[in-house]
Amino acid sequence: MIEVQGLAKHFGAVRAVDGLTFRAEQGEVLGLLGPNGAGKTTTLRMLSTVLLPSAGTAQVGGHDVRSQATAVRADLGVLPEYWGLYGRLTPREHLRYFGRLHGLQGAALEARIQTLIADLEMDEYADRRCEPFSKGMKQKVALGRALIHNPQHLLLDEPTAGLDVMSARNVRDLIERFRAEGRCVILSTHILSEAERLCDRLTIVDHGRVVASGTPADLLRQTGQATLEDAFVQLVGELEEVAG
Amino acid sequence: MTVLLVWFKELLDTLRDRRTLAAMVIGPVLVMPVFVLLPQTLLQRQAEAQEQSTIRAVFVGAENGPQLFATLLASGEIERVEADEPRRLLQEDGADVGLVIPPGFEASLAQGRTAVVQMLVDQSDMFSVQAERFRTLLSGYNQAVVTQRLEALGIDPQQLVPFTIEDVNIATPQQMGGSFLGMMLPMFIVLWALVGGMYTAIDVTAGEKERLTLEPLLTTPVQRRTLVLGKLLAVVTTSLVALILAVASMLIAFAVAPPVSGNTGLGIDLPTAALLMAAALPVVVLFSALEMAVCLLARSFKEAQNYIVPMQFAVLIPAMAVMVLPDLSPSLPSFAIPVFSTLVILRDLFLGQVEPASFGLMVGSSLVYAALAVGLAIWQFGREKVLFRT
């Protein structure tokens, strides 16, 4: 379970995140929706403990992001907005390095690597250097890296951005699977159709604050709109900023 | 153990990068012998060429001293060059030396008086031995005139020479090359400590930010301190390899082409080599940690390169001071000055005259500076502003 209470992050005078409250259960996909610059990535970074909150609390699996950061990271898989791979290492080397950083080793680690390579269909290029890979291939390596320690919590920042139709579909299938496996998933996106299909609940964020939350059906009812896009536009109120 | 894991990954990564290989292996192995052998070979060649070639001389007023002129030409070592403006010809390297014989020279000699001739020399041409050869020829003629005069007076010329001084010339141009190298070596060692690990230092900091791999790394349960130490170890390793290769290739160059004329001042035995390493290690750690702390401020590989160049200059300046002041013997407290003290100790190690107290103070103080630099690097890795600077 991921629980966020009054979370805030200030960069000087800029209030990137300004008192967010939401929670996501195991076996649930929570969609974090909002225009660019709404504070989604900053929120995820506080949850992954790489940024320290200015105020409020956040817990991942019952561990506090401030005082128990190591325990939080041990059971958390993060897919950053940009995959960030070492161009001179192969997918298998990536998985091995991060597996070891998570304390895995030996036959158990190698078996886990093999499972992920098979699951993500990376057999063909598992031992080639990542530099020339397509976006879809890189995204798979990054996903494998996030999953290597079999975390019960996942933070996915724009997981289908820039992917072709087939790759995006594969990623969506995976997210469905994470839910079925009982993991707690927070998905940051601005692709509304994807959010509607994948997410159990949505939290709409603008200017670092929650403007609405609930199931997609709740949001339609609240706004009296027929489509999620119309509901989103009404809630955020700035048509020109809606991307995707 | 996790430190070694990070170290191993960073080494694997950096060794797959051609830039690292160039800085760590190719540079030291190829550049150092060139620096060692080239000046030496050039000086030697030049000296040999000058010894063999004739002295190109311009004469002004040759008709004023026909005897002198004839004697000089008779030596067979002089090639006469004609010029309207002898000074300019000398400066343009059209002649090695000029001689101005004033009117009345011959008459002055005949009257047993002292005449003056002017010898024009370009003193800025440091490597020229021609002027000295010419002066010897002139002195020879001078001596011959003295002998004639004494004999005319019925005095044995030997009476005027109670004893002679035998010059044992050890300052050949080759040897000048040798001492030149002795001054250069400490600077090169420090320079390779700085350059050898440079690309790795950029790669594990700014490179990691540029590729956006830093965030995934920070979301593993590993402590940031552990990550920094593992990365530092990788930078220190590449620096040390570069340094060892540089010293080794220098030693091989000396073995293959030893400095001529019995210059043994640069023989390095195994214990000396071990001391050199012990002296260099703290400064290697210091540079590696500083490079990491500085490069982490940059957003990209290129930006980091811009930051690292001023750092290299800051090191080169004390290196130059030690190089150009060969007789520099600093007081004990100044062995606590970072980098400078290392350079002096390295030089003294080459010359075989190290004070244990100075050596201890240098190593001790350098270790303190290195520890501070490591602390700085770890602190930088904890700063959100630095890590997520966009």
Side-chain angles (χ1 to χ4, degrees):
Chain A
M1 188 175 73
I2 296 176
E3 198 168 10
V4 171
Q5 197 85 46
L7 196 65
K9 182 69 184 178
H10 306 157
F11 297 109
V14 181
R15 293 164 178 261
V17 176
D18 198 13
L20 281 190
T21 301
F22 60 83
R23 90 190 239 160
E25 307 285 342
Q26 296 306 121
E28 184 181 39
V29 178
L30 175 75
L32 215 52
L33 252 66
N36 294 331
K40 300 182 303 261
T41 298
T42 304
T43 304
L44 295 187
R45 280 180 173 164
M46 284 191 278
L47 288 176
S48 66
T49 77
V50 296
L51 288 183
L52 209 62
S54 306
T57 61
Q59 292 190 333
V60 176
H63 300 293
D64 184 77
V65 293
R66 280 200 193 82
S67 56
Q68 296 165 298
T70 307
V72 167
R73 294 200 294 263
D75 201 15
L76 184 71
V78 182
L79 182 75
E81 187 175 355
Y82 302 97
W83 36 82
L85 299 181
Y86 300 109
R88 295 184 293 266
L89 297 191
T90 69
R92 194 184 300 278
E93 285 164 347
H94 272 91
L95 298 184
R96 194 175 288 141
Y97 181 47
F98 280 85
R100 286 180 176 160
L101 290 175
H102 276 284
L104 304 173
Q105 51 184 321
L109 174 60
E110 294 305 314
R112 177 73 185 149
I113 293 170
Q114 206 45 56
T115 308
L116 282 171
I117 287 173
D119 271 7
L120 295 165
E121 296 166 347
M122 295 193 291
D123 300 86
E124 252 182 73
Y125 50 87
D127 295 303
R128 278 159 44 191
R129 294 188 189 181
C130 293
E131 193 87 74
F133 285 6
S134 71
K135 285 176 181 173
M137 291 155 87
K138 285 181 176 169
Q139 188 75 324
K140 283 182 178 181
V141 181
L143 262 170
R145 179 178 62 193
L147 294 170
I148 187 72
H149 54 303
N150 196 19
Q152 289 310 299
H153 308 88
L154 284 167
L155 306 178
L156 311 177
D157 199 354
E158 309 282 357
T160 58
L163 298 191
D164 61 36
V165 177
M166 282 309 294
S167 307
R169 193 191 172 98
N170 287 340
V171 170
R172 285 197 293 269
D173 289 346
L174 268 173
I175 296 172
E176 300 277 10
R177 220 173 82 192
F178 296 152
R179 183 197 354 247
E181 289 165 348
R183 298 181 212 260
C184 171
V185 181
I186 292 184
L187 172 71
S188 156
T189 184
H190 49 218
I191 304 173
L192 295 167
S193 59
E194 188 173 283
E196 194 166 11
R197 245 189 62 193
L198 285 173
C199 300
D200 300 297
R201 285 187 306 118
L202 299 171
T203 291
I204 298 181
V205 185
D206 192 21
H207 293 107
R209 292 166 179 271
V210 175
V211 293
S213 64
T215 63
D218 288 340
L219 294 180
L220 294 182
R221 207 174 313 121
Q222 276 176 38
T223 55
Q225 298 288 348
T227 66
L228 191 61
E229 186 174 310
D230 290 333
F232 182 86
V233 169
Q234 186 184 324
L235 288 164
V236 172
E238 289 175 78
L239 183 65
E240 65 274 18
E241 281 193 17
V242 181
Chain B
M1 279 318 287
T2 316
V3 170
L4 295 183
L5 175 63
V6 176
W7 170 69
F8 182 78
K9 179 264 157 189
E10 297 296 5
L11 269 191
L12 177 73
D13 202 351
T14 201
L15 285 178
R16 286 181 182 173
D17 187 355
R18 284 198 202 114
R19 287 174 297 200
T20 311
L21 284 180
M24 189 178 86
V25 180
I26 297 164
V29 169
L30 294 186
V31 174
M32 291 314 293
V34 170
F35 268 105
V36 170
L37 297 179
L38 201 64
Q40 194 167 313
T41 316
L42 285 180
L43 288 172
Q44 209 170 314
R45 283 257 175 92
Q46 198 173 358
E48 275 168 14
Q50 286 188 349
E51 296 285 353
Q52 285 158 13
S53 66
T54 54
I55 307 163
R56 294 166 304 165
V58 188
F59 290 93
V60 179
E63 67 282 358
N64 298 329
Q67 266 197 2
L68 170 61
F69 184 56
T71 313
L72 287 173
L73 284 189
S75 72
E77 293 184 45
I78 288 172
E79 177 197 341
R80 186 178 182 186
V81 184
E82 301 285 354
D84 298 331
E85 293 179 73
R87 283 167 197 270
R88 189 196 281 176
L89 189 69
L90 274 164
Q91 273 167 354
E92 289 167 355
D93 200 30
D96 300 309
V97 67
L99 187 70
V100 182
I101 307 172
F105 176 79
E106 200 81 353
S108 181
L109 282 194
Q111 290 159 19
R113 284 184 288 137
T114 302
V116 177
V117 295
Q118 282 182 325
M119 197 172 122
L120 307 178
V121 186
D122 182 2
Q123 295 272 15
S124 69
D125 186 3
M126 298 193 301
F127 299 116
S128 176
V129 297
Q130 308 296 54
E132 280 314 301
R133 287 173 60 199
F134 190 76
R135 187 185 298 278
T136 311
L137 291 175
L138 280 180
S139 305
Y141 181 73
N142 207 1
Q143 204 57 47
V145 175
V146 169
T147 308
Q148 280 172 20
R149 287 182 180 174
L150 290 173
E151 278 168 353
L153 294 170
I155 301 169
D156 180 4
Q158 291 295 325
Q159 292 272 306
L160 288 184
V161 188
F163 64 90
T164 60
I165 304 162
E166 193 179 336
D167 277 331
V168 183
N169 187 7
I170 55 166
T172 61
Q174 293 93 324
Q175 272 189 326
M176 282 171 69
S179 66
F180 171 72
L181 281 172
M183 295 301 120
M184 294 285 276
L185 290 184
M187 189 190 73
F188 278 124
I189 288 180
V190 168
L191 197 63
W192 283 115
L194 198 61
V195 174
M198 180 175 91
Y199 284 110
T200 308
I202 299 176
D203 211 32
V204 301
T205 54
E208 191 113 46
K209 278 167 80 179
E210 188 174 14
R211 286 185 304 251
L212 301 163
T213 48
L214 194 57
E215 196 176 337
L217 193 59
L218 296 177
T219 54
T220 65
V222 179
Q223 302 296 315
R224 288 188 190 179
R225 186 179 56 240
T226 310
L227 293 175
V228 177
L229 291 179
K231 286 167 178 289
L232 177 71
L233 208 55
V235 180
V236 168
T237 307
T238 45
S239 277
L240 270 186
V241 170
L243 203 153
I244 291 170
L245 286 177
V247 174
S249 65
M250 253 157 24
L251 292 185
I252 291 167
F254 274 117
V256 170
V260 256
S261 66
N263 184 349
T264 54
L266 286 162
I268 302 172
D269 51 8
L270 219 55
T272 311
L275 281 176
L276 283 174
M277 281 297 143
L281 187 60
V283 95
V284 168
V285 177
L286 172 66
F287 288 157
S288 301
L290 274 184
E291 283 177 340
M292 281 176 62
V294 167
C295 292
L296 196 62
L297 292 170
R299 279 164 295 199
S300 66
F301 207 98
K302 274 195 172 165
E303 194 185 337
Q305 278 177 303
N306 294 341
Y307 292 172
I308 228 166
V309 170
M311 227 185 109
Q312 290 173 337
F313 274 104
V315 169
L316 274 177
I317 289 161
M320 293 291 187
V322 176
M323 218 177 73
V324 298
L325 304 170
D327 296 326
L328 188 71
S329 46
S331 60
L332 188 62
S334 53
F335 281 92
I337 304 173
V339 186
F340 170 81
S341 60
T342 305
L343 285 158
V344 176
I345 290 287
L346 287 174
R347 182 201 67 183
D348 291 352
L349 279 170
F350 280 118
L351 302 177
Q353 50 184 36
V354 173
E355 294 287 326
S358 313
F359 187 87
L361 183 58
M362 185 283 283
V363 171
S365 63
S366 296
L367 282 176
V368 171
Y369 296 121
L372 288 175
V374 173
L376 180 69
I378 292 173
W379 176 69
Q380 287 279 53
F381 260 84
R383 292 174 68 201
E384 289 178 359
K385 266 187 194 165
V386 169
L387 295 178
F388 296 101
R389 195 182 146 207
T390 48

